[in-house]
Amino acid sequence: MDELLEQFLIESRELIELAAADLFALERAPDDRERIDSAFRAIHTLKGAVGLFGLVPMAIVLQAAEDVLGAWRDGNAAPDAAAIDRLMPAVNTLETWLEAFAAGNDLPGGAAEEAARLAAPLLALAGIAPVSASAPAPVAAASRGHRPDWLAPLLAAHATDLAKWHDAGAGLAGSLAALRYVPTRDCFFRGEDPLAILRAVPRLLAVDLALTPEPEGAEPDPFACRLVIRAISAAPEAEVASVFRLIADQVEIVAVAAPARLAASRTLRVDATRLDTLADIAGELIVTKNRLAHLAAEAPSSAPAIARPLGAIQAELDRLVGDMHRAIMRARMVPLSQTTRRMARLVRETAGQLGKEVAFDISGDDTEADRAIVEALFEPLLHLLRNAVDHGIEPPDARSAAGKPRAGSIRLEVRRDGDQIGLTVTDDGAGVSPVRLRESAQRRGILDPDTIDRLTDEEALQLVFMPGFSTATAITEVSGRGVGLDAVRSTIEALGGRVTVSSTEQFGSSWRMAVPEAVVLRAVMLVETGGQVFGVPLAAVAETVLVPADRIVRIGDGEAFVLRGGTVPLLRLGALLHLKLVKQAADRPDEAPERVKVLVVQLAGQLAEGQPVGVAVDRLGERMDIAIRPVGGLLAGMSGLLGAGVMGDGSVLLVLDMAGLIG
Amino acid sequence: MTVAEQDGVIRLLAPCPVEDAESLLGLLQASAASVVDLTDCGHLHTAIVQLLLTYRPMVTGAPGDPFVLAWIMPFLKHRDAGAIDLRPGNGVVGPGLPPPAPGGTTGRGVF
């Protein structure tokens, strides 16, 4: 795709989302000056961009929207729900048109009439008399977006200058004036000095000088002006134009919206796949580095002469590769708002479809996480929010009857918790009934009655994440039959996170997700059982203990041991993996068979949160950092397997998901 | 006279009006001088700047005039085409290209 077009689509989508998010915020807090300014800037910038592609209907709507926002900004009108209700469909239509343009390089048929229909009420809001579709307003909008050929190269050539000015606080908030001044050849004889005129232009940001060539073979004439001047000024277009008022025919002046990427100085848009490639290379480099570490460890015996320098180089390489890896990972961090800012609109739409009233709030979404995580959170978040609107929030009348405000409240909170990102979706709706969940689980035969009876209410609530589970009596178009909450769980767990729900009937529910900020290097501990080596994420291992064999007691089918006064169930890793235990620890005379090596695993999430479980292994190995990749093919659906990584000696390490294995 | 040559160095002194263009052209064409010193210059008339852009002598000195220093000087300093952004097709020849000097490869003093 044409690079300019691609850039346009990316930025325009962002600007539309930004404007929509601002409008939602204004619906809640109409006095928020910053939001008004932000929405105005987004619409204004977008208007400049659509002009570049000749999208006149979009320009008409944007011009009308800008007039409304401008009136708010200047205090000539105040935002209210009615006005926002007129702006929102306009923004939605802009988005539809943009996608149509992306798909087919053109706007849908009838866009011009639609534009006039959308613009008229907006212009009325802005206090501008509505105009007929053929009236000058569209023309003005289009011509304001007009960009001569020389403009783009000029802006591109001076992007860094403009950024510097921005850094220096010159404030490129509004618009810039770009000019191209071609003095007449005989202007010197009329007493004009083009550079003296240029000197009078206020707030110059950039200047380009060029000479037109002398006609072939002609003597250079020092008194014939051949200079072409192009410049950018931070002053308003009108102020710049006044400098040239006597020679207006020699100059072309255009107002340019300070493009967003100029305002966001010193940042660079990089295709995400390039960053992914870098991250992959860094991952491979770590593997190679680990192989070198392997070699360096053997050097003292096999090659003593080079052992010391090799060790030093290896240590240095270790540090550098680590630094590089962290730097690349930082480059991949983006704020969660990239995902969450789309949510406000989706919640509003869902509520509209269901005839419910919902006040939606987002906080903390400036928290950053790896791009892959941020993108992968879209589906689960969307699902939880739709679920909250559909099954959580009651219809307005039911809420009134229950003594609640008619409008339900849904909050999405994001916060950082060490290297984890916590997301909580809270609603003040009907809540989930553990009693009904138990009934439903029993009816569907998901669990046997005994197990169901043993579940605490808190544990029973987690049943909603089981596949094929639904308690909603009415199946709705919006969140279907409850398929999806299990999809939420599997998506979150695939990211290395977990999701839980807590709920109080009549008071609402709270869905908590915790995901790592990046899915990249994981510290794993190597363990061996049945002659095979596996990796266990270090995060899952609370401690390792040696338990004397005689302290292990049998309880029914199971085993347990006492750790610091508490009874800890003991499982055998080999049995969990259904391995044929060909090499028991007893086969190794050098190890004390009377002591069993046990990983104490703190199971995060799910039914037995917080309860330690012991997992017996044959051998405990070293810990290492490893890039874990999801496994594909036949192994893809295997529970208990987190992924695979490549070890220093080139062999593949299967990394176990302890929660999945035990739970 | 605000254009003066001494020891092969052309000095531009005080603001240079359009009338100086002819004498500067003469000096640039005739003398072996390849250096123009702008230390003491004031505003430079477009005609003067145009000559400097055409003949591209080595330009030295930091002009005291902030406008000349900020916006004109960068175009006089760079003698290599790579320093100036020139795009084909916009109908202009930039300061970085060799001057239109028929019969000369250096573009200076061969008329």
Side-chain angles (χ1 to χ4, degrees):
Chain A
M1 204 192 291
D2 172 8
E3 205 171 305
L4 192 60
L5 175 61
E6 207 172 334
Q7 194 73 18
F8 165 73
L9 291 172
I10 293 172
E11 291 186 0
S12 301
R13 286 185 185 118
E14 285 182 8
L15 290 168
I16 288 176
E17 277 171 19
L18 191 63
D22 288 332
L23 289 175
F24 280 115
L26 284 170
E27 200 172 29
R28 308 282 314 284
D31 299 331
D32 192 336
R33 301 288 314 168
E34 272 180 33
R35 290 291 195 169
I36 295 176
D37 285 348
S38 165
F40 180 85
R41 275 198 304 275
I43 294 291
H44 179 78
T45 309
L46 187 58
K47 191 189 73 183
V50 300
L52 191 62
F53 289 89
L55 302 171
V56 175
M58 288 185 81
I60 292 170
V61 175
L62 285 163
Q63 180 62 53
E66 184 185 315
D67 288 340
V68 174
L69 290 163
W72 293 353
R73 191 184 61 165
D74 303 338
N76 297 331
D80 58 33
I84 289 168
D85 279 346
R86 289 189 203 174
L87 276 169
M88 272 325 298
V91 171
N92 287 341
T93 305
L94 288 169
E95 187 177 39
T96 313
W97 285 350
L98 185 70
E99 293 311 322
F101 180 64
N105 227 351
D106 206 356
L107 297 184
E113 295 78 43
E114 175 79 1
R117 200 182 58 71
L118 285 167
L122 295 179
L123 292 172
L125 276 175
I128 296 169
V131 285
S132 71
S134 59
V139 180
S143 72
R144 265 186 254 181
H146 168 69
R147 315 189 93 186
D149 329 338
W150 51 267
L151 186 58
L154 178 67
L155 290 176
H158 293 285
T160 43
D161 296 341
L162 298 182
K164 270 185 228 154
W165 271 78
H166 180 75
D167 285 356
L172 301 184
S175 70
L176 308 175
L179 67 94
R180 179 166 181 262
Y181 171 25
V182 187
T184 55
R185 209 173 145 78
D186 59 355
C187 68
F188 298 163
F189 294 103
R190 285 185 275 115
E192 290 166 16
D193 178 359
L195 288 177
I197 296 171
L198 180 66
R199 187 186 279 264
V201 172
R203 300 171 69 191
L204 274 177
L205 295 180
V207 170
D208 254 358
L209 302 179
L211 290 179
T212 51
E214 203 62 89
E216 195 72 35
E219 281 288 310
D221 177 354
F223 298 115
C225 184
R226 296 189 287 121
L227 200 65
V228 174
I229 298 168
R230 293 176 299 169
I232 304 172
S233 158
E237 184 189 350
E239 210 174 301
V240 174
S242 75
V243 172
F244 294 94
R245 64 194 175 280
L246 296 177
I247 47 162
D249 55 326
Q250 298 171 29
V251 69
E252 195 177 356
I253 303 170
V254 241
V256 194
R261 65 171 174 277
L262 295 185
S265 62
R266 304 225 187 285
T267 62
L268 175 68
R269 257 177 209 285
V270 178
D271 187 342
T273 55
R274 295 191 192 170
L275 273 184
D276 290 346
T277 309
L278 271 182
D280 282 350
I281 295 172
E284 298 300 328
L285 201 52
I286 286 170
V287 172
T288 311
K289 177 209 78 178
N290 285 349
R291 288 170 61 185
L292 183 66
H294 206 68
L295 202 64
E298 287 180 3
S301 54
S302 58
I306 60 163
R308 188 181 287 271
L310 185 62
I313 292 171
Q314 190 264 326
E316 179 74 3
L317 187 67
D318 201 86
R319 185 179 64 76
L320 290 172
V321 169
D323 286 353
M324 185 185 69
H325 189 262
R326 276 188 296 278
I328 292 173
M329 288 308 128
R330 263 201 305 280
R332 287 167 52 98
M333 301 288 266
V334 294
L336 261 103
S337 56
Q338 288 201 355
T339 282
T340 56
R341 70 177 169 211
R342 287 186 271 177
M343 296 298 165
R345 199 141 41 119
L346 296 166
V347 167
R348 186 188 156 106
E349 279 171 16
T350 308
Q353 280 169 34
L354 295 167
K356 295 186 180 177
E357 292 171 25
V358 174
F360 180 55
D361 241 358
I362 302 180
S363 63
D365 61 351
D366 51 350
T367 306
E368 290 192 334
D370 188 81
R371 191 182 62 85
I373 296 275
V374 171
E375 284 174 4
L377 281 172
F378 179 77
E379 286 290 330
L381 265 181
L382 177 63
H383 203 94
L384 287 183
L385 287 170
R386 283 191 167 160
N387 191 72
V389 177
D390 194 2
H391 301 305
I393 303 296
E394 313 90 326
D397 292 340
R399 290 182 61 90
S400 295
K404 293 183 183 181
R406 286 178 67 83
S409 147
I410 299 179
R411 273 179 301 136
L412 168 58
E413 289 162 275
V414 184
R415 57 178 163 31
R416 170 175 298 279
D417 208 357
D419 60 356
Q420 295 268 311
I421 307 292
L423 300 106
T424 312
V425 173
T426 311
D427 66 66
D428 70 345
V432 184
S433 154
V435 177
R436 275 172 58 205
L437 281 172
R438 282 198 178 89
E439 286 167 11
S440 191
Q442 194 159 354
R443 203 169 53 245
R444 283 154 206 272
I446 288 174
L447 286 176
D448 62 272
D450 285 353
T451 315
I452 292 174
D453 286 345
R454 278 207 305 276
L455 294 177
T456 63
D457 282 357
E458 194 65 30
E459 288 165 353
L461 282 176
Q462 317 308 318
L463 290 170
V464 295
F465 295 112
M466 304 283 279
F469 205 90
S470 173
T471 61
T473 41
I475 290 161
T476 63
E477 186 189 331
V478 175
S479 41
R481 341 161 115 247
V483 274
L485 281 178
D486 63 312
V488 168
R489 178 165 89 163
S490 56
T491 307
I492 294 296
E493 289 182 355
L495 297 174
R498 62 199 153 89
V499 55
T500 56
V501 59
S502 60
S503 184
T504 311
E505 275 189 86
Q506 307 306 329
F507 289 98
S509 312
S510 186
W511 307 78
R512 284 193 199 85
M513 290 182 276
V515 290
E517 62 173 1
V519 260
V520 199
L521 267 202
R522 286 279 198 81
V524 297
M525 172 176 254
L526 300 185
V527 298
E528 189 183 312
T529 196
Q532 289 190 43
V533 176
F534 298 94
V536 175
L538 212 57
V541 180
E543 59 185 308
T544 56
V545 289
L546 289 173
V547 180
D550 56 12
R551 295 272 193 82
I552 296 174
V553 288
R554 298 201 70 84
I555 303 174
D557 286 345
E559 292 176 304
F561 64 99
V562 174
L563 180 67
R564 287 189 293 273
T567 306
V568 178
L570 181 68
L571 305 165
R572 305 270 173 179
L573 184 60
L576 285 172
L577 293 168
H578 310 291
L579 291 178
K580 288 212 170 74
L581 300 181
V582 283
K583 287 187 177 176
Q584 290 289 7
D587 294 346
R588 302 163 188 269
D590 54 333
E591 285 171 33
E594 69 270 15
R595 284 155 82 82
V596 178
K597 300 180 180 69
V598 175
L599 296 176
V600 180
V601 179
Q602 204 83 38
L603 279 191
Q606 295 169 32
L607 298 184
E609 183 158 17
Q611 195 189 345
V613 175
V615 177
V617 298
D618 296 350
R619 250 157 56 84
L620 294 170
E622 67 209 284
R623 56 154 287 181
M624 61 191 296
D625 291 330
I626 195 163
I628 302 180
R629 302 200 178 150
V631 287
L634 286 174
L635 292 175
M638 207 174 127
S639 73
L641 194 59
L642 204 58
V646 179
M647 292 217 287
D649 61 0
S651 62
V652 171
L653 179 73
L654 292 180
V655 180
L656 304 174
D657 168 20
M658 296 315 279
L661 207 57
I662 298 168
Chain B
M1 184 67 169
T2 49
V3 179
E5 191 214 334
Q6 198 179 4
D7 304 331
V9 176
I10 302 168
R11 286 176 200 285
L12 302 186
L13 311 159
C16 292
V18 66
E19 295 77 31
D20 284 345
E22 198 137 39
S23 43
L24 178 62
L25 174 65
L27 284 171
L28 287 169
Q29 283 186 338
S31 81
S34 58
V35 180
V36 174
D37 186 338
L38 295 187
T39 310
D40 300 315
C41 82
H43 175 71
L44 299 178
H45 191 276
T46 309
I48 304 289
V49 172
Q50 196 169 284
L51 283 174
L52 295 175
L53 290 174
T54 304
Y55 287 89
R56 307 214 63 77
M58 160 101 67
V59 171
T60 63
D65 181 304
F67 177 79
V68 175
L69 181 67
W71 304 117
I72 310 295
M73 203 57 187
F75 290 87
L76 303 179
K77 276 232 151 161
H78 298 286
R79 310 185 86 188
D80 55 318
I84 304 294
D85 183 36
L86 267 187
R87 279 148 215 272
N90 56 3
V92 294
V93 169
L97 291 188
T105 48
T106 63
R108 182 164 22 89
V110 289
F111 288 85

